[in-house]
Amino acid sequence: MTKIGILNLQGAVSEHLHITKKAIKNINANIEVEPVRYAEDVATCDGIIISGGESTVIGKLIHERGIDKVIKDKNIPVFGTCAGMVLLGKKTDFDQPLLGLMDITVKRNRYGRQKDSFEAPIEIFGQEYLGIFIRAPTLESFDNSKNDIQILSKLNDEIIAIKQGHNIAISFHPELTQDTLIHEYFIKEVLS
């Protein structure tokens, strides 16, 4: 059976778990989803979701526990939200451990501090969606020579969602909405 793991190190793990289960039901897929914390748990997964939180701490734990090695060795698709977007990049504006799975450079906390959090309507996959931005990062740059990079969404001309291969990085928090659109998209990537 296909299995998606929600990396349970920090962030909105239960929210991602809930909306992923809802997305699985909506598309009538035969998929198991559960929180994972260690490399041996991640090794049993066909897809991983990395939620928000403090990207430096999450990055250190991913490295210390060997989770990064398992994801890379098994070529597991990753969906990163907020801090997850930072971790998917090859470079950021702070010296920290990264997965480096996507040819992107990410600016941490681009939209300011916690008190500067906001909601805004965005367009993604041709549909309107409510973006919830909490200390959100944005893309500073990406390697546009790569044929497998696709911009998924922008806000005020800044890239807030991008895909490379089967990996998806977004700066906002879809797990805090009731809209399963983005989680369904990732599930289909895992199944493809």
Side-chain angles (χ1 to χ4, degrees):
M1 176 183 286
T2 302
K3 181 168 144 185
I4 293 177
I6 314 294
L7 199 58
N8 187 13
L9 300 178
Q10 241 190 18
V13 176
S14 63
E15 290 86 348
H16 269 293
L17 186 63
H18 171 75
I19 200 157
T20 303
K21 285 179 178 179
K22 185 176 173 183
I24 290 167
K25 185 177 180 181
N26 285 352
I27 63 173
N28 197 26
N30 188 18
I31 296 177
E32 179 182 352
V33 60
E34 66 181 40
V36 294
R37 295 178 62 88
Y38 298 99
E40 54 270 20
D41 303 323
V42 171
T44 67
C45 295
D46 302 289
I48 294 291
I49 297 175
I50 303 175
S51 65
E54 211 295 304
S55 63
T56 307
V57 172
I58 299 170
K60 285 179 183 176
L61 290 170
I62 285 172
H63 179 70
E64 287 171 5
R65 295 180 181 189
I67 293 169
D68 54 345
K69 184 171 174 19
V70 171
I71 288 172
K72 290 174 185 176
D73 288 350
K74 291 192 70 183
N75 197 26
I76 299 171
V78 177
F79 171 29
T81 65
C82 198
M85 178 187 219
V86 174
L87 293 163
L88 280 166
K90 290 218 169 154
K91 189 176 177 188
T92 188
D93 56 344
F94 189 76
D95 184 23
Q96 68 177 85
L98 300 170
L99 281 168
L101 297 176
M102 297 178 72
D103 294 298
I104 60 175
T105 300
V106 181
K107 178 168 179 52
R108 296 169 16 133
N109 302 334
R110 161 62 183 89
Y111 292 106
R113 302 165 59 116
Q114 191 83 17
K115 66 180 180 64
D116 301 313
S117 300
F118 65 97
E119 296 179 1
I122 62 167
E123 185 179 311
I124 189 164
F125 310 128
Q127 296 185 37
E128 189 171 294
Y129 191 90
L130 179 63
I132 300 174
F133 296 82
I134 304 170
R135 294 180 59 211
T138 61
L139 214 65
E140 280 198 320
S141 64
F142 66 96
D143 186 345
N144 59 8
S145 71
K146 302 289 184 180
N147 293 334
D148 62 343
I149 287 186
Q150 177 185 0
I151 296 168
L152 301 177
S153 186
K154 291 183 177 184
L155 178 65
N156 301 327
D157 291 326
E158 292 187 302
I159 298 169
I160 55 170
I162 193 162
K163 175 180 185 266
Q164 184 173 16
H166 291 297
N167 299 310
I168 301 167
I170 64 173
S171 64
F172 51 95
H173 290 270
E175 75 280 7
L176 299 180
T177 74
Q178 293 302 310
D179 193 331
T180 60
L181 175 69
I182 298 171
H183 285 76
E184 287 177 26
Y185 184 87
F186 178 65
I187 291 165
K188 290 172 186 172
E189 283 295 315
V190 171
L191 293 172
S192 66

